[in-house]
Amino acid sequence: MTPSDYEFLRKLLRERSGLDLSSDKQYLVESRLIPLARRIGLPGIAELVQKLKAGSGAPTAEVVEAMTTNETFFFRDRIPFDHLRETVIPALLQARAGRRTLRIWSAASSTGQEPYSIAMCLKEFGPALAGWRIEILATDLSQAVLEKSKAGIFSQFEVQRGLPIQLLVKYFAQVGELWQLNADIRAMVQHRQLNLLQDFSHLGTFDVVFCRNVLIYFDQDTKIGIFDRLAKVLEPDGMLMLGAAESVVGISDAFKPHPERRGLYRPNPVRTARPGAAAAMPQALKAVAR
Ligand SMILES: C[S@@+](CC[C@H](N)C(=O)[O-])C[C@H]1O[C@@H](n2cnc3c(N)ncnc32)[C@H](O)[C@@H]1O
């Protein structure tokens, strides 16, 4: 790949998905995009870049999808789901006892293991949540992972990663060599395509947001902008859950870390304006809208 083709792709990916590639990731781009180029009948990356530059009918969405990392598994890192079960839901059971509704957003949901882990966690509360209106929204940039998630069908390998056997037996049915989640768990999760670089204020407000293992791919300004907008869609007593390698500390004051629970954050009621925050989003929004 020529340096100029690499620079073109880096810029395109940063603008479209937020993916922040360092200058030495040519091998990664090649390993993901050469198979895509061949699939659409092109000899290689140079011709793919030409097609992207040509504009109309360009396979931009395919390139962006091919570059996403969709790694996920049930109850990933376990601790966030312990927090959900032991801290977050018990607090919300009290705080929302009047209106008996819960809205939870899995903001980069990949193939569904995260939102369905949340759904099973809530289902395990049994009578305590009976009669509550529970909405779990699963969004992702990639339409392909959302389609897989909607089907709720997982391989033996996938159900062996993180899913306790009691939950497999209780909530899945075996279909040949595959496992399908029961309809009542699938019905708890709504799916929608959404790019986190774009405005998401229309989604309404949430009690809990899982935004895990996606911000690591973004640059600092993009993270600042997303934290800022996440704080606006969270209820004042809502909780944000980040991935094990992600934190707001030193990046944004839109959230305050939970004093005892690692990876858990509350919207910060007292904020100081950060210069980067306001500047970051309009630029990213403009790029995506192009
Ligand atoms: C590594 S997976 C994380 C899945 C899950 N949250 C977890 O922690 O297991 C990252 C997901 O983020 C999605 N993604 C990447 N860029 C995105 C963007 N700009 N907006 C929304 N989703 C994005 C990818 O398609 C991918 O499915």
Side-chain angles (χ1 to χ4, degrees), residues 69-224:
T69 297
N70 308 122
E71 162 74 359
T72 186
F73 49 94
F74 287 104
F75 296 93
R76 183 173 189 173
D77 304 333
R78 202 181 44 80
I79 290 168
F81 299 92
D82 291 345
H83 291 346
L84 186 69
R85 194 175 43 245
E86 293 163 11
T87 306
V88 178
I89 299 300
L92 288 169
L93 273 170
Q94 291 198 350
R96 304 286 182 272
R99 62 181 202 227
R100 288 157 73 88
T101 63
L102 280 183
R103 289 195 84 219
I104 302 182
W105 179 23
S106 167
S109 55
S110 190
T111 42
Q113 284 88 333
E114 181 175 275
Y116 289 133
S117 297
I118 298 169
M120 286 184 273
C121 226
L122 294 180
K123 198 77 176 167
E124 287 294 294
F125 273 82
L129 280 172
W132 284 54
R133 200 164 63 80
I134 293 171
E135 204 183 309
I136 301 168
L137 179 66
T139 66
D140 200 282
L141 172 71
S142 159
Q143 192 61 48
V145 295
L146 288 170
E147 291 308 322
K148 174 165 162 55
S149 180
K150 271 184 216 168
I153 298 175
F154 298 93
S155 68
Q156 183 70 36
F157 174 70
E158 287 167 329
V159 297
Q160 272 169 351
R161 295 183 76 199
L163 184 66
I165 184 81
Q166 319 84 274
L167 297 186
L168 175 66
V169 172
K170 195 165 172 185
Y171 295 121
F172 288 75
Q174 195 159 12
V175 185
E177 305 216 315
L178 303 173
W179 293 87
Q180 180 161 42
L181 260 166
N182 295 345
D184 55 342
I185 299 291
R186 276 185 282 138
M188 290 172 74
V189 178
Q190 274 97 55
H191 293 86
R192 197 157 164 175
Q193 188 179 30
L194 185 120
N195 186 340
L196 286 168
L197 297 190
Q198 291 177 313
D199 178 39
F200 46 72
S201 57
H202 57 283
L203 297 179
T205 55
F206 295 92
D207 302 301
V208 186
V209 175
F210 277 64
C211 186
R212 305 181 59 230
N213 303 303
V214 62
L215 298 177
I216 33 169
Y217 301 108
F218 299 160
D219 66 22
Q220 192 89 338
D221 278 354
T222 306
K223 285 182 204 173
I224 293 170

